[in-house]
Every structure is written in C-alpha cells, then in structure tokens.
C-alpha cells in the first residue's frame, strides 16, 4: 500500500488515499518518488481539458530511485536515480521514423492500462503514464531515464516536464538566436524555464508577461529584463520594449485564446509565436486573411518542447552543473501530497511558480 493522489472522475476533487501497487512485471520498473512537480497539465486532466481514462493516479513530472525491476529491464537497476518520462517514444511510428519523437503516435497508449487498485479493488489508471503523485509508482521501462549525475533528485523532477518543455520551446521550436528579443507569456513552471532558456540562448531583451504583479521577482530572477503586467495594452507595451517593432519571438505558456492572440500581436513582422499552453476546444483564436499575409508571422504549436528527453537531458544537465540553469529558483512552494489540491487552486489564481511535492 502506498499513498497517492487519485482523480476519481472528471470534475471531482482529488482524493489522497492509499492504493495497492503491484510489483513490476516484465519490462516494468518500480520507483520510489523523491519529488513530483505540480503541472497545469494535471489540472487539465481534472477538468476534462485533456482526456484520459479515470479513475487515475495523476502526476507526470517526477524523479526518484529504482526499487525493483521486472524481467528484461537492463538500462536501470535498483538504487539508480531516474527521471520519469511521461511521453516515451515507440521508435516505430511515422513520427518517430522522421525524428519527431515528441509527436509519437503511441506515446500515451499506457494510460489505458490498469496501474493499481484502491483498497476496495477499484481499478486505477496511470494518468499520463507515470502516476507520479504517489510515494511509489510502477512504470514501463521506457518511462524512466537515468538521472543526471550531481543533481538532487528533488530538483531533477522538474526536468521531466517543465524544463524540457520550456527549454525546448525556446531552443527547438522557436530556435531563438543570440540578440533576438523574446516575450514569455505566463510565469509558471514552464514560463520560468522558458525565461531561463531565453537567457541561455543570449536573447535580449527578454520580456515576461503575467496577470500577477507578484510574479515579477520570480521572472527577473529567471532572466527577464522587463516585466509587463497583462492588460488591454500588453501588445503595445511589449512593442515599446522591443524597438517599437515587437518581439522576434513570443512564447505563450497559458493556453487561452486571448493570450495566444496577444502573443501574436506582440511579435514583429516576420516574428515567431510558439504556443506551449494547453487550452480547451472552446478557446477559439481568430485571424483575418490580410493580417496573415501582411505580418508574415509564424504561429506554431509546441508539444513537450519538441524535445527528445534522451537527447536533451544531458544537455540540460550540463547547463545546470555550469550554473546557467537554476532548477531551485523555479520552485515557489514545497508541499506534501495533501497540498496538491491547494496547489491546483494557486495555479487557477495565477499564484507562484512551480509547486513541488517532496516525499
């Protein structure tokens, strides 16, 4: 029996309860969690924006120590530190074949499996594959990657989603170059990672935009040179800070139609807007044909930062060890499992950076 955060049904509150977790079978790994980040995607599962089978154990950003392995697992062993990978690539589908592993057609096939059971025998699914909101979890072997050496596992948890996504949005999707101006919309976990990544890329100015004035200190610590409080004049304010032209790149980390539209309006002619935030189907964004022609901007979606975790984790680790990337500064609250519902409320209210469940 281990404690876990269970979503009993879409729209229902999380239940922090004990679950019965099986031993790993062939090709599986059991992991004792050191920490798990509370991501907006977890919130999107609770309200139905993203759909997975329920009831489910949530949590997809985590790191921990291998407890045991099933038959056939050779790349990790008991005692190894690992980072959870919630979107493992299959290596066989069309997207994997052309190198777009972040779009793997089979990445989420594991969400329909039976992961564990409640005390009364109710079957539970693994949320986004890895069920990280639990003291321990059992995952497919391709859902664990060796943790980078020299990085505390509590902080390495953030590598599993926020950092890969924010870094990838800047370096892989938008391909920010030194000297380019960047505006980051939404200073949550992913936004903070994007700000740090823009600084690493040599961008400038780097403008952070958020609805909360309390986010300014977090944003500047992450590398923002300027902070704009979101309002009806946001696009105008960003243009004023970027030579009157608009930003070369806008990174949208919110997933709301109005924010996506503002990010687009904040970029220069020929600029690039990368949308990282996950919005619902009701979030409709409109453009007229003339502006698409006239501004010649690029609007692109970004899944998991266009990242390949196996390729990118060593790169991120080097940035961390060199002091260019600070994981600890992204964490605004360290909580227990029981604090996850309050962390969801804080996200809805636009408060804080990343909440980190520490076991």
């Amino acid at each position: 029996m281990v404690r876990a955060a269970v979503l009993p049904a879409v729209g229902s509150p999380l239940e922090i309860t004990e679950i019965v977790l099986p031993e790993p079978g062939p090709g599986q790994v059991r992991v004792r969690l050191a920490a798990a980040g509370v991501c907006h995607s977890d919130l999107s599962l609770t309200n139905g924006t993203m759909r997975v089978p329920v009831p489910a154990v949530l949590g997809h950003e985590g790191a921990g120590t291998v407890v045991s392995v099933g038959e056939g697992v050779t790349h990790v062993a008991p005692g190894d530190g690992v980072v959870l990978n919630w979107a493992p690539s299959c290596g066989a589908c069309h997207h994997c074949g052309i190198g777009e592993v972040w779009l793997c057609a089979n990445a989420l096939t594991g969400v329909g499996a039976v992961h564990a059971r409640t005390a009364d025998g109710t079957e539970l699914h693994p949320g986004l594959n890895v069920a990280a909101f639990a003291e321990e979890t059992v995952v497919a072997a391709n859902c664990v990657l060796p943790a980078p050496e020299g990085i505390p596992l509590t902080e390495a948890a953030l590598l599993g989603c926020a950092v890969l996504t924010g870094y990838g949005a800047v370096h892989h999707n938008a391909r920010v170059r030194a000297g380019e101006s960047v505006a980051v919309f939404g200073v949550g976990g992913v936004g903070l990672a994007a700000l740090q990544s823009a600084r690493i890329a040599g961008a400038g100015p780097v403008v952070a935009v958020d609805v909360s004035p309390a986010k300014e200190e977090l944003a500047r610590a992450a590398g923002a040179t300027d902070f704009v409080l979101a309002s009806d004049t946001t696009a105008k304010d960003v243009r004023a800070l970027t030579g009157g032209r608009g930003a070369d790149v806008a990174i949208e980390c919110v997933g709301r139609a109005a924010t996506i539209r503002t990010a687009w309006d904040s970029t220069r002619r020929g600029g690039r807007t990368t949308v990282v935030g996950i919005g619902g189907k009701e979030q409709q964004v409109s453009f007229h044909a003339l502006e698409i022609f006239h501004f010649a901007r690029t609007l692109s979606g970004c899944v998991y930062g266009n990242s390949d975790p196996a390729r990118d984790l060593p790169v991120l680790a080097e940035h961390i060890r060199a002091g260019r990337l600070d994981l600890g500064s992204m964490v605004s609250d360290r909580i227990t499992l029981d604090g996850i519902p309050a962390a969801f409320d804080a996200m809805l209210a636009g408060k804080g950076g990343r909440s980190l469940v520490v076991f």
Side-chain angles (χ1 to χ4, degrees), residues 311-334:
R311 174 199 65 195
D312 293 332
L313 280 184
V315 176
L316 291 170
E318 182 55 36
H319 284 309
I320 295 166
R321 287 191 285 263
R324 293 184 290 268
L325 181 60
D326 182 1
L327 299 181
S329 67
M330 296 170 55
V331 179
S332 56
D333 298 280
R334 294 175 185 264

Side-chain angles (χ1 to χ4, degrees), residues 15-29:
E15 296 177 357
I16 312 301
T17 186
E18 288 192 331
I19 64 171
V20 180
L21 190 67
E23 290 302 315
Q28 292 185 320
V29 179

Side-chain angles (χ1 to χ4, degrees), residues 5-260:
V6 174
L7 176 67
V10 172
S12 297
L14 283 185
E15 296 177 357
I16 312 301
T17 186
E18 288 192 331
I19 64 171
V20 180
L21 190 67
E23 290 302 315
Q28 292 185 320
V29 179
R30 184 168 181 140
V31 178
R32 179 179 300 113
L33 273 297
V38 182
C39 179
H40 204 281
S41 296
D42 298 307
L43 184 60
S44 295
L45 295 178
T46 68
N47 61 27
T49 299
M50 296 172 64
R51 291 280 185 174
V52 295
V54 291
V57 179
L58 298 189
H60 64 281
E61 177 184 270
T65 303
V66 174
V67 175
S68 56
V69 301
E71 180 183 350
V73 177
T74 58
H75 73 296
V76 294
D80 288 351
V82 293
V83 175
L84 300 180
N85 175 15
W86 65 270
S89 55
C90 70
C93 71
H94 172 75
H95 289 291
C96 287
I98 61 174
E100 296 177 349
V101 298
W102 54 92
L103 298 179
C104 174
N106 300 307
L108 294 180
T109 55
V111 301
V114 177
H115 171 71
R117 286 177 169 80
T118 62
D120 65 6
T122 301
E123 294 181 345
L124 301 173
H125 301 287
L128 289 178
N129 275 329
V130 296
F133 287 167
E135 294 168 331
E136 296 186 12
T137 187
V138 173
V139 300
N142 61 355
C143 287
V144 296
L145 294 166
E149 292 184 8
I151 299 171
L153 286 176
T154 49
E155 295 187 358
L158 301 176
L159 295 172
C161 185
V163 178
L164 277 170
T165 301
Y167 178 87
V170 170
H171 288 268
H172 302 325
N173 188 288
R175 299 182 181 181
V176 173
R177 300 181 291 268
E180 288 192 310
S181 55
V182 175
V184 176
F185 290 75
V187 185
V190 174
L192 288 168
L195 287 169
Q196 291 202 57
S197 300
R199 174 174 45 77
I200 290 170
V206 177
V207 183
V209 182
D210 201 275
V211 296
S212 170
K215 296 286 189 76
E216 181 171 0
E217 184 177 350
L218 278 171
R220 290 188 181 276
T225 58
D226 300 276
F227 181 84
V228 170
L229 189 63
S231 70
D232 292 340
T233 64
T234 295
K236 180 179 179 181
D237 296 339
V238 172
R239 288 196 297 271
L241 293 168
T242 52
R245 297 178 297 276
D248 294 301
V249 172
I251 309 290
E252 199 275 352
C253 304
V254 180
R256 293 179 182 166
T259 314
I260 294 170

Side-chain angles (χ1 to χ4, degrees), residues 38 43 339-352 355:
V38 182
L43 184 60
I340 295 175
F344 281 174
D345 291 340
M347 275 195 292
L348 284 170
K351 296 179 179 178
S355 292

